[in-house]
Amino acid sequence: MAADRRGKAETLALRRRLLSNSCRLFYPEDPIKIVRGQGQYLYDEQGAEYLDCVNNVAHVGHCHPLVVQAAHEQNQVLNTNSRYLHDNIVDYAQRLSETLPEKLSVFYFLNSGSEANDLALRLARQYTGHWDVVVLDHAYHGHLSSLIDISPYKFRDLDGQKEWVHVAPLPDTYRGLYREDHPNPAGAYASEVERVVNSVQEKGRKIAAFFAESLPSVGGQIIPPAGFFQEVAEHIHRAGGVFVADEIQVGFGRVGQHFWAFQLQGEDFVPDIVTMGKSIGNGHPVACVATTQAVARAFEATGVEYFNTFGGSPVSCAVGLAVLDVLEKEQLQAHAASVGSFLTELLRQQKAKHPIIGDVRGTGLFIGVDLIKDEATRTPATEEANYVVSRMKENYILLSTDGPGRNVLKFKPPMCFSVDNARHVVAKMDAILTNMEEKVRSCETLRLQP
């Protein structure tokens, strides 16, 4: 039986029988069976069209014809491992190098963001000769055991914090320790990292790396204050560690102003290691680590080769090159800047209208809408956010939540998301919030008035 002809109920029953319950679905109470994608749209088995506002993996659009064509054409000729000479891998490395600061000049190719961050951890430890890692609170860096250990978002629900992992406060200027009224939030949050580093050293331990998403996503669509990374890098380098910028969620032009999100911090900031995934392959399993000659040479000095069976294959590199071509030809970075600015302004107009919206933050097509129960305490409106997501789905718009309180509506759509899409989404959200205000006693509950 063709998969798209099997009924949704039958597919769901098979999934429940054959897959672990830990492999969760979106909208578990009423999951959607998606059988096709095109651009910024997904289609279910009945042909219903959903506007996708969250799939940052399909970076240049679901099933972009040029990306599909590149994979198909290369698959017809050759797909083997990277131990043979092939033009695609060197062409791709060269193209990526042209987007990065000059010192990030050595590339490793892999299959997933988790693999990339795991390799970054190995590189950091080999280069520094140290073991410990500093991360930001609520961070998520991948599903491998090594990365669960450095992801507070995960390890707090599992085995807890390892002695070699050290957590610094998330630089959240809306709900964090230092807020929008602080005269120097970047310096204040960086001083918290310095305090963590000093504490580690007092215990006789040594820092190998500081890991940070350039824009923390799981943490709630956070925009670190400019200058924060520069000051953190000084503290980390002084301790003998390296700075790893995780661009897996936010790289490749999504932020609009720059190709890489770490560049929002300023031209004077360059990480020691950059990791890439998700959007790099538009749905094809591709990932990359970029680093300096010095870090790479230290890794080579072990005498142990780095080999990844599928990483850097001719097909994967053909796909990666096609994604870069589409970004350039369709000017999607500039598009993200203009459409993202338009969407942000519409959402800020909604903030002025609806008190449940506490904050609208973002850059390009990386935007968070922070829903609150109370303006003074900024208590996360978790149930209300879930309600909005559910109602948006009923209106054929796919959204989801992030943040420690699961109260931040996140926008990370395919980069072809349009001005008309933005108008449509915000109009539907406005109607849903207006309806809530008419029926709900307060922001503290969704219970209907008696």
Side-chain angles (χ1 to χ4, degrees):
M1 180 183 295
D4 60 347
R5 297 190 180 186
R6 181 184 291 127
K8 184 171 83 169
E10 185 180 353
T11 301
L12 182 59
L14 279 169
R15 182 184 174 102
R16 286 173 173 167
R17 178 164 65 85
L18 297 170
L19 302 185
S20 167
N21 287 335
S22 61
C23 302
R24 296 176 183 171
L25 289 163
F26 290 132
Y27 314 104
E29 294 80 14
D30 183 25
I32 308 170
K33 182 176 181 181
I34 296 298
V35 300
R36 186 169 68 89
Q38 192 67 47
Q40 63 271 49
Y41 301 101
L42 292 170
Y43 300 86
D44 70 13
E45 81 284 7
Q46 302 296 326
E49 180 181 86
Y50 291 83
L51 176 59
D52 184 358
C53 297
V54 291
N55 201 326
N56 60 335
V57 176
H59 191 58
V60 299
H62 292 280
C63 301
H64 193 288
L66 293 184
V67 178
V68 172
Q69 180 183 6
H72 176 63
E73 289 181 354
Q74 184 58 55
N75 249 322
Q76 290 182 307
V77 178
L78 175 70
N79 195 22
T80 187
N81 65 61
S82 59
R83 279 193 169 120
Y84 301 100
L85 278 175
H86 197 277
D87 286 332
N88 284 10
I89 192 169
V90 292
D91 288 346
Y92 190 32
Q94 178 66 36
R95 287 283 297 280
L96 286 173
S97 73
E98 292 166 1
T99 71
L100 287 160
E102 186 176 356
K103 83 168 193 175
L104 294 168
S105 59
V106 183
F107 298 85
Y108 301 83
F109 292 103
L110 317 91
N111 308 295
S112 71
S114 290
E115 285 190 11
N117 279 335
D118 179 74
L119 177 58
L121 183 57
R122 290 176 59 193
L123 290 168
R125 285 172 167 167
Q126 180 61 34
Y127 175 69
T128 64
H130 302 168
W131 192 258
D132 289 26
V133 176
V134 179
V135 294
L136 296 174
D137 205 0
H138 310 299
Y140 176 61
H141 292 291
H143 63 79
L144 300 180
S145 295
S146 62
L147 305 175
I148 295 295
D149 286 345
I150 65 170
S151 298
Y153 168 71
K154 290 289 186 180
F155 69 57
R156 290 203 172 106
D157 294 327
L158 295 168
D159 298 331
Q161 186 172 338
K162 299 290 194 295
E163 64 177 357
W164 53 269
V165 178
H166 314 281
V167 180
L170 183 70
D172 179 355
T173 57
Y174 180 69
R175 188 175 276 104
L177 286 174
Y178 309 107
R179 300 188 174 182
E180 67 274 11
D181 57 352
H182 193 281
N184 181 19
Y189 278 114
S191 292
E192 292 292 326
V193 176
E194 182 183 27
R195 180 185 58 77
V196 169
V197 169
N198 291 340
S199 174
V200 171
Q201 292 178 320
E202 287 168 6
K203 297 173 184 175
R205 305 188 68 90
K206 296 181 178 180
I207 302 294
F210 174 83
F211 269 74
E213 291 179 272
S214 298
L215 299 178
S217 178
V218 169
Q221 305 289 97
I222 303 301
I223 311 296
F228 171 66
F229 281 179
Q230 287 92 325
E231 294 194 40
V232 168
E234 289 180 12
H235 301 316
I236 295 299
H237 289 156
R238 196 176 300 124
V242 298
F243 193 113
V244 181
D246 179 340
E247 289 272 336
I248 292 163
Q249 294 266 17
V250 293
F252 293 88
R254 175 162 296 279
V255 300
Q257 299 174 51
H258 300 282
F259 198 79
W260 302 106
F262 71 77
Q263 293 170 321
L264 292 166
Q265 292 285 313
E267 292 183 3
D268 57 335
F269 173 69
V270 180
D272 302 292
I273 301 173
V274 172
T275 59
M276 314 167 202
K278 292 189 186 296
S279 54
I280 188 173
N282 210 57
H284 187 87
V286 188
C288 181
V289 176
T291 191
T292 64
Q293 289 285 344
V295 171
R297 297 297 170 257
F299 194 60
E300 293 165 9
T302 64
V304 177
E305 73 167 331
Y306 178 77
F307 174 64
N308 187 308
T309 303
F310 302 109
S313 74
V315 170
S316 292
C317 292
V319 166
L321 284 162
V323 171
L324 294 179
D325 286 342
V326 173
L327 285 168
E328 184 177 325
K329 290 175 181 176
E330 299 184 9
Q331 300 181 345
L332 291 180
Q333 181 182 327
H335 181 79
S338 63
V339 175
S341 177
F342 181 76
L343 175 57
T344 299
E345 177 56 32
L346 291 183
L347 290 168
R348 287 180 175 152
Q349 291 171 14
Q350 293 300 302
K351 178 180 181 294
K353 181 177 180 181
H354 301 288
I356 192 173
I357 299 178
D359 190 36
V360 175
R361 52 184 176 263
T363 176
L365 287 173
F366 178 90
I367 301 168
V369 179
D370 197 314
L371 302 188
I372 57 173
K373 291 179 180 289
D374 179 85
E375 186 175 0
T377 63
R378 300 181 178 181
T379 304
T382 304
E383 297 82 4
E384 292 83 348
N386 289 336
Y387 176 79
V388 171
V389 168
S390 178
R391 289 292 311 280
M392 292 291 273
K393 177 214 170 195
E394 293 172 8
N395 284 274
Y396 302 97
I397 296 169
L398 304 182
L399 268 180
S400 63
T401 59
D402 248 331
R406 304 297 300 179
N407 66 301
V408 180
L409 304 176
K410 61 179 178 181
F411 289 84
K412 295 183 292 186
M415 297 273 278
C416 48
F417 190 86
S418 71
V419 164
D420 286 343
N421 294 149
R423 289 195 187 97
H424 175 63
V425 167
V426 174
K428 292 296 184 183
M429 183 182 294
D430 182 23
I432 290 166
L433 293 177
T434 300
N435 180 261
M436 283 175 58
E437 291 161 355
E438 291 173 353
K439 294 184 177 180
V440 176
R441 190 191 306 269
S442 74
C443 286
E444 296 179 353
T445 177
L446 286 173
R447 186 176 60 251
L448 296 181
Q449 294 182 10

